[in-house]
Amino acid sequence: MPTITTKDGVEIFFKDWGSGQPIVFSHGWPLSADDWDTQMIFFANHGYRVIAHDRRGHGRSSQVSDGHDMDHYADDLAAVTAHLDLKNAIHVGHSTGGGEVVHYIARHGESRVAKAAILSAVPPLMVQTAANPGGLPKSVFDDLQKQLAASRTGFYRDVASGPFYGYNRPGAKPSEAVIQNWWRQGMMGGAKAHYDGIVAFSQTDFTEDLKKISVPVLVMHGDDDQIVPYADSGPLSAKLLKSGTLKTYKGFPHGMPTTHAETINADLLAFFKA
């Protein structure tokens, strides 16, 4: 399997298919590069080089006990881009991966980056604070950690079959295959990484990161996102970016790259080509 080893000794697994302008995909919690399969095939067929890695502690990467924070996530992504010597790259991040992309660009600069897209992403800040009154109470995320620690296998089944893809909405038609694939990816990773990752995605404040970014960024968010609520995420990120464009999807769930892949892929392609 293709891997790189980070400066703190973590093996990061990655996929690298095709040739052309590189698109680098950063996955959501607690998944893996496999969550981008539909997008990677689509964009490879459109003449792009597509790359996706498993975040540390996730998928096929090392199940280390520490470093499960946005600084390490961004540095690991930088290590992958440097190892592959990527130039003029487009970065695409979903959910936690959207935070990873934003922090990577702000922390490591734009010399290798052409554009970015963040989908259903966690920035600017998920947790409720005095400065972020619209956020979710910390108790919500504490409860997620409790559920994970009690029964990760049951918890992941509940997330995938319910709010992640909007399968708990009236009239929804759950896909057993999609639910099982989400569960499979989650269970491939490490419980400690996923437990700590809840703090990383919910309590990292990306406000200053967003302000630093000058490359064009497409902010894509469904207004029925039950994981990262729309009002306190997508619109706020788009306003903080120097060159941000908000695209809102009526009724789309958090997992819209899977449930509405045709629409999402077409809109990403149009943005990449513009």
Side-chain angles (χ1 to χ4, degrees), residues 42-43 46 48 264-274:
F42 177 86
F43 287 105
H46 279 81
Y48 291 89
I264 297 303
N265 291 353
D267 289 349
L268 282 171
L269 183 62
F271 171 66
F272 298 166
K273 288 185 167 181

Side-chain angles (χ1 to χ4, degrees), residues 187-244:
M187 295 306 294
M188 281 170 66
K192 176 68 160 57
H194 296 168
Y195 184 89
D196 292 351
I198 292 170
V199 174
F201 75 65
S202 66
Q203 295 184 34
T204 303
D205 189 342
F206 299 95
T207 301
E208 295 307 313
D209 288 343
L210 290 160
K211 290 177 183 177
K212 288 179 186 174
I213 297 172
S214 59
V215 296
V217 181
L218 180 62
V219 181
M220 309 166 81
H221 219 108
D223 69 0
D224 193 33
D225 191 324
Q226 299 172 69
I227 304 294
V228 182
Y230 173 82
D232 199 52
S233 52
L236 302 185
S237 288
K239 283 180 186 173
L240 288 164
L241 289 157
K242 290 186 175 78
S243 184

Side-chain angles (χ1 to χ4, degrees), residues 18-41:
S19 58
Q21 185 178 14
I23 306 172
V24 186
F25 294 94
S26 291
H27 65 77
W29 174 98
L31 304 172
S32 73
D34 294 356
D35 206 44
W36 290 112
D37 283 352
T38 304
Q39 282 71 35
M40 289 182 70
I41 291 169

